[in-house]
Structures are given as C-alpha cells and as structure tokens.
Amino acid sequence: MPHEARITRFAPSPTGLLHLGHAFSALIAAGRGDTFLLRLEDIDTARCKPAFEGSIYDDLRWLGLTWPSPVWRQSDRLYHYTSALARLSAMGLTYPCRCSRADIRAALSAPQEGAPIGPDGPLYPGTCRNRTMADAQPTDAIRLDIARASALTGPVTFTDTGPGYSQRVHQMTPSDMAHSIGDIVLARRDIGTSYHIAVVVDDAAQGITEVTRGADLFAATFIHVLLQRLLALPTPAYHHHRLIRDDEGKRLAKRDAARAIRSYRDAGATPSDIRDLLNLPSAP
Ligand code: GLU
C-alpha cells in the first residue's frame, strides 16, 4: 500500500562548522524521509555567518546527502514570522516585555531559590504580564502568555519515534505548561522573531511530516506543538535522538574544533568512518 510521502529536514544554524552531532542528526533525518530538505536557520544575524553556509553544503555533500534546491534561508522569511506573531497578538495571547536578563534574575532571587528552568532558561516571573500590546515599544521583547494560550488549546500532544522514548505519546496539560515552560519569548528585541515561531512556521510551510532533532529540544517541542495548535498548523511526528558527547560527557559545541567534520576529513577519515563513529548503519 503506498504510504504518505515522508518529508524530513535538517535545519542547522550557520554559526560554525558542522560537528559529529550535526552529522548524526542529518544522517538520521535523511534516513527517515522520502524527501530530505536542508534549511538554514539564520535569523540570529549577529551569530550566523554566510561563510559557514558553504562549509555546511560541502560537509553534507561529502557525507553523501543530497537535497532539493532552493534551500530555504530563514532570514528571507521574516514577513511570515511577523504575520504569525501578529495572529497570536490579535488573539490576545502576547504582551511586551522590557525585562533584561538581570531583571529576571533579580525577580527570581532568594525567595524563589530553585525556580524551575524551562527550555529557554529560568521561568519568566511574569513582571510585564499585565502590559498590553498597545503599549509595546520598539525595544521590547514579545512574550506568549502561556496560561492563556494553553487554556485555549487544552493539553498538547505529540508522538515521538526516538529510541529513548519508550512512551511514544507525550502530553502536557495547561498547568504543566505554566509550571515547566512559562511565558517564552516569541520575538526577541534584536531580531523581532524567535526560533520557536520560525521553526513552526517553516516546518508547516515546507510540509515536514517528521522532525528529527536532538533530545536537548524535547521540552521545546511542547512549545512548538502549542504554537501549531494556536496557528491551526499540522503537528508533524517527532524523532528526538540522543546527543553526541565528548570524552567528558559534555554535549558537543561548535567551538569543539576537534569534532568538526572538517577536521575528520582533513585527517583522512571517510564518510563511512563517520557513520562507524556514530554507530550508524552503513549508507544504503
Ligand atoms: N537550528 C536549530 C539547531 O541548530 C534546529 C533545531 C530543530 O531541528 O528544530 O539546533
């Protein structure tokens, strides 16, 4: 019986050289789709450098991956992210926030020691929650009122096909969302949008049926499913994979040059050596 075409993607930010962890994610994603898309998540213009784009293409091709053109670049799509944000604002779910990181730390200090940490850091204490969008200044960030938003949607649910997730359906109730996610930033003051909005809008616009990404983004997936529900966008299946760690057990970072694909290539490794290192089956 013909199955629905599976569309999967790898969505790196061009902020450095690809390392083993990226190769792992890209190879797993490519192996799980009939069509594999590459998308450049470059909204953070201060950190993204066009020079890294060429090396991303080059390393992925060397690994044996191919993808259709054109490659979407998020910096070309800000209009779509701003429109999605405007819809959420029109639903009364957003508010402007002028708090700096230091303000948030101060508001969370002493009495609330051990304040929960959400996907984007300490849970926002709600200082600006009673402000309205009419009062938004160009220097404000825009936050999602998570209690209101999740009261509208009810519990959010997604399925996970990743190996470490024995319970394949994951759910968060509105009260879990308020207590473990909090009022996340939907538009940063410097770039006018955020990873959360951009990824949700683009996964839907590209018809992605399965999102493959590291387990570090597991909690953020609840935000994404919530935004999909609010914006009437489909929810793909998710596949969260284990993280590739260094010898000390730390997650690989882009500054860890020794694990850059480029360094392995320069040292004479082959693409199948990389698969072996990652315990992935050989290329079909
Ligand atoms: N740009 C994100 C990263 O580099 C992609 C995450 C995702 O797959 O949604 O980690």
Side-chain angles (χ1 to χ4, degrees):
M1 206 166 67
H3 67 273
E4 191 199 342
R6 292 166 310 162
I7 305 179
T8 183
R9 51 57 163 194
F10 176 56
S13 297
T15 55
L17 293 173
L18 293 190
H19 57 55
L20 276 186
H22 296 105
F24 189 60
S25 208
L27 290 167
I28 292 181
R32 297 186 64 82
D34 301 301
T35 303
F36 167 71
L37 303 182
L38 173 65
R39 181 170 76 223
L40 294 171
E41 301 212 320
D42 63 344
I43 51 176
D44 191 341
T45 42
R47 291 179 58 234
C48 294
K49 301 274 173 292
F52 290 121
E53 292 183 18
S55 63
I56 290 175
Y57 293 141
D58 197 40
D59 285 344
L60 292 177
R61 278 197 201 105
W62 178 80
L63 285 166
L65 297 173
T66 53
W67 54 89
S69 293
V71 168
W72 283 23
R73 187 182 272 126
Q74 290 193 322
S75 56
D76 292 337
R77 295 186 34 82
L78 296 178
Y79 169 80
H80 301 275
Y81 313 144
T82 311
S83 305
L85 178 67
R87 279 182 69 184
L88 298 171
S89 296
M91 292 162 82
L93 302 177
T94 61
Y95 60 87
C97 174
R98 64 168 73 93
C99 297
S100 64
R101 278 174 207 266
D103 294 335
I104 295 173
R105 268 198 306 276
L108 288 172
S109 67
Q112 293 193 35
E113 203 91 56
I117 304 291
D120 294 346
L123 252 57
Y124 181 63
T127 321
C128 289
R129 197 178 290 135
N130 57 0
R131 292 181 59 205
T132 63
M133 290 302 288
D135 157 49
Q137 305 298 314
T139 48
D140 286 332
I142 307 297
R143 287 185 184 272
L144 180 69
D145 184 326
I146 200 101
R148 273 192 200 205
S150 50
L152 269 187
T153 64
V156 294
T157 304
F158 63 89
T159 56
D160 198 306
T161 54
Y165 298 87
S166 51
Q167 172 210 346
R168 289 163 57 101
V169 178
H170 300 274
Q171 188 175 72
M172 260 202 204
T173 62
S175 110
D176 297 334
M177 296 290 280
H179 292 110
S180 59
I181 306 278
D183 289 357
I184 43 110
V185 168
L186 290 180
R188 281 166 38 173
R189 56 173 64 83
D190 54 343
I191 56 178
T193 186
S194 63
Y195 161 61
H196 300 307
I197 289 266
V199 79
V200 160
V201 167
D202 283 356
D203 282 339
Q206 294 193 294
I208 303 298
T209 59
E210 183 172 312
V211 171
T212 304
R213 50 160 72 136
D216 53 331
L217 289 170
F218 183 79
T221 297
F222 289 98
I223 302 172
H224 302 166
V225 178
L226 177 72
L227 293 175
Q228 287 153 5
R229 294 283 299 277
L230 295 168
L231 295 166
L233 300 174
T235 293
Y238 286 86
H239 185 94
H240 293 92
H241 58 71
R242 69 183 168 90
L243 298 178
I244 302 298
R245 299 183 182 278
D246 65 14
D247 297 338
E248 280 91 58
K250 286 211 293 290
R251 184 157 73 95
L252 295 187
K254 292 210 170 132
R255 57 186 175 279
D256 189 351
R259 269 122 183 140
I261 302 304
R262 180 55 48 96
S263 309
Y264 287 98
R265 292 176 62 176
D266 291 348
T270 65
S272 75
D273 293 327
I274 302 289
R275 284 179 180 267
D276 286 350
L277 276 174
L278 295 168
N279 277 326
L280 287 170
S282 9

